[in-house]
């Protein structure tokens, strides 16, 4: 089974080109995905991106509305669970489509479980994706590293709780333990939630860390970056604007215009190989 390894601001993925959806990623309750993503026994990644046609059975079974899209991004978290959408992943996905000769430079639709996302990609430079509207929900609380934090629910096609730290706690962001899943309101978030913790908006920028459901703390999260930017703007009474988001893995830019959001950042392919190939004996 051939694979490509890529990342967007160090949020990394194993990419499997499987046009007809023939690889069984559900067998053993996601055992193959967990094996691929394991950082000691596998390739190592935050998730798996399967490249399938929108008319493949896996896309049809997911209820994907293909629209103008030819390709479906079937995204799995590192623990094998399904995820609706991934902002860093869809940029890596689009870069792979371009490098593999499956699309030309330009703007293309990509089908996801959260709907179609339009991605603009070229051979060089950052990749921009129209993430759709980010919908603010009610406030809620989480508990992590001994702190009870208040955040706002944000729907970016998948669920988020974005917590803008009070000014006096902002200096503690780097030291917070986000390894364990933060507590959350299971009534509000019945399928789990990604939790972002970020500094208040200052000079158009925030610093953000995230715990992703099914993957743990990641170096970056595309949808989480959008959720954090929207929450930071909301905290200062703004519904639109551009926010530069600094994550442990790099910097992204989110633009919020009231009708939609866009996410711009790098997408790099770093390796390709064959999973399960026999290792030649050495003497």
């Amino acid at each position: 089974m051939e694979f490509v390894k890529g990342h967007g601001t160090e949020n990394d993925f194993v990419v499997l080109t499987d046009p007809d959806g023939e690889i069984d990623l559900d067998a053993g309750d996601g055992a193959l995905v967990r094996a691929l993503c394991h950082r000691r026994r596998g390739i190592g990644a935050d998730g798996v991106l399967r490249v399938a046609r929108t008319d493949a059975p896996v896309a049809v079974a997911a209820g994907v509305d293909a629209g103008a899209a030819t390709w479906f991004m079937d995204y799995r978290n590192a623990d094998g669970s399904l995820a609706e959408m991934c902002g860093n992943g869809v940029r890596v996905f689009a870069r792979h489509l371009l490098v593999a000769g499956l699309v030309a430079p330009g703007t293309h639709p990509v089908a996801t479980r959260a709907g179609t996302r339009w991605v603009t990609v070229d051979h060089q430079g950052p990749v921009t994706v129209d993430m759709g509207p980010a919908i603010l929900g009610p406030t809620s609380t989480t508990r992590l590293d001994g702190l009870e934090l208040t955040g706002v629910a944000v729907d970016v096609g998948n669920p988020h709780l974005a917590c803008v730290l009070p000014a006096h706690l902002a200096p503690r962001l780097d030291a917070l333990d986000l390894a364990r899943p933060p507590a959350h309101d299971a009534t509000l978030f019945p399928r789990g939630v990604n939790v972002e913790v970020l500094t208040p908006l200052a000079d158009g920028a925030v610093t953000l860390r995230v715990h992703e459901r099914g993957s743990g703390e990641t170096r970056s999260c595309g949808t989480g970056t959008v959720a954090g930017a929207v929450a930071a703007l909301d905290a200062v009474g703004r519904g639109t604007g551009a926010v530069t988001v600094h994550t442990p893995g790099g910097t992204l830019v989110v633009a919020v215009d009231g009708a939609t959001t866009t996410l711009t950042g790098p997408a790099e392919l770093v390796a390709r190989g064959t999973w399960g190939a026999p290792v030649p004996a050495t003497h």
Side-chain angles (χ1 to χ4, degrees), residues 184-273:
H184 66 274
D185 182 347
T187 301
L188 182 59
F189 303 109
R191 294 177 294 170
V193 65
N194 303 305
V195 177
E196 292 77 36
V197 185
L198 62 146
T199 58
L201 187 66
D203 298 324
V206 299
T207 300
L208 177 146
R209 291 175 63 195
V210 58
H211 181 102
E212 291 195 60
R213 57 176 183 168
S215 295
E217 183 177 7
T218 56
R219 300 283 292 170
S220 176
C221 171
T223 54
T225 297
V226 173
V230 169
L233 289 168
D234 181 66
V236 295
R238 294 170 56 190
T240 61
V243 180
T244 299
V245 183
H246 302 293
T247 73
T251 299
L252 302 110
V253 177
V254 177
V256 184
D257 70 5
T260 192
T261 61
T262 60
L263 174 67
T264 300
E268 300 181 35
L269 306 179
V270 298
R272 65 180 63 250

